[in-house]
Amino acid sequence: MLSQINLTVLFNDPFWIGIFEVIEDDEYKVCKVTFGPEPKVEETYELILNKFYSLNFSNPISSDKDPLIEKKNKIQKDYKERFKKKLLQKE
């Protein structure tokens, strides 16, 4: 069994949150964790090491496509488009 885990930490006013994304056996699950104040690296590691297996993940969604890769590709595409627009504006 191959697992891919991604953690994104972001500020969602008024709290810092973490979004865990897990892909196992072509199934995608997600979990949101509220930190409150900005978490330190040590707090994030502690959460992963001590509480990860007790987190309440969503029901798995079966997927042939990897949502993390799709998200990455969308971000790259958006960046390229903005970069091209800036280049055209300079000319």
Side-chain angles (χ1 to χ4, degrees):
M1 171 187 355
L2 182 63
S3 296
Q4 180 179 353
I5 301 169
N6 186 45
L7 170 61
T8 304
V9 177
L10 53 103
F11 183 71
N12 188 15
D13 197 15
F15 303 110
W16 284 86
I17 62 169
I19 300 175
F20 282 96
E21 298 171 289
V22 176
I23 298 173
E24 288 181 322
D25 300 327
D26 295 330
E27 291 184 335
Y28 175 77
K29 299 182 286 186
V30 65
C31 175
K32 176 184 161 190
V33 177
T34 303
F35 290 110
E38 184 174 4
K40 296 181 179 161
V41 174
E42 297 82 17
E43 293 172 304
T44 309
Y45 286 145
E46 184 179 333
L47 173 71
I48 294 168
L49 292 174
N50 298 326
K51 299 179 182 176
F52 179 78
Y53 291 104
S54 64
L55 294 176
N56 188 18
F57 281 87
S58 67
N59 292 329
I61 299 169
S62 181
S63 175
D64 294 334
K65 295 184 179 181
D66 184 341
L68 299 178
I69 290 175
E70 288 180 21
K71 184 170 109 177
K72 178 184 154 211
N73 291 340
K74 183 181 182 308
I75 291 170
Q76 286 177 340
K77 181 180 175 183
D78 290 344
Y79 177 79
K80 286 179 186 177
E81 289 174 2
R82 283 188 277 153
F83 185 72
K84 285 181 185 178
K85 285 180 183 178
K86 284 186 179 182
L87 284 177
L88 292 174
Q89 288 175 353
K90 288 183 180 181
E91 294 177 358

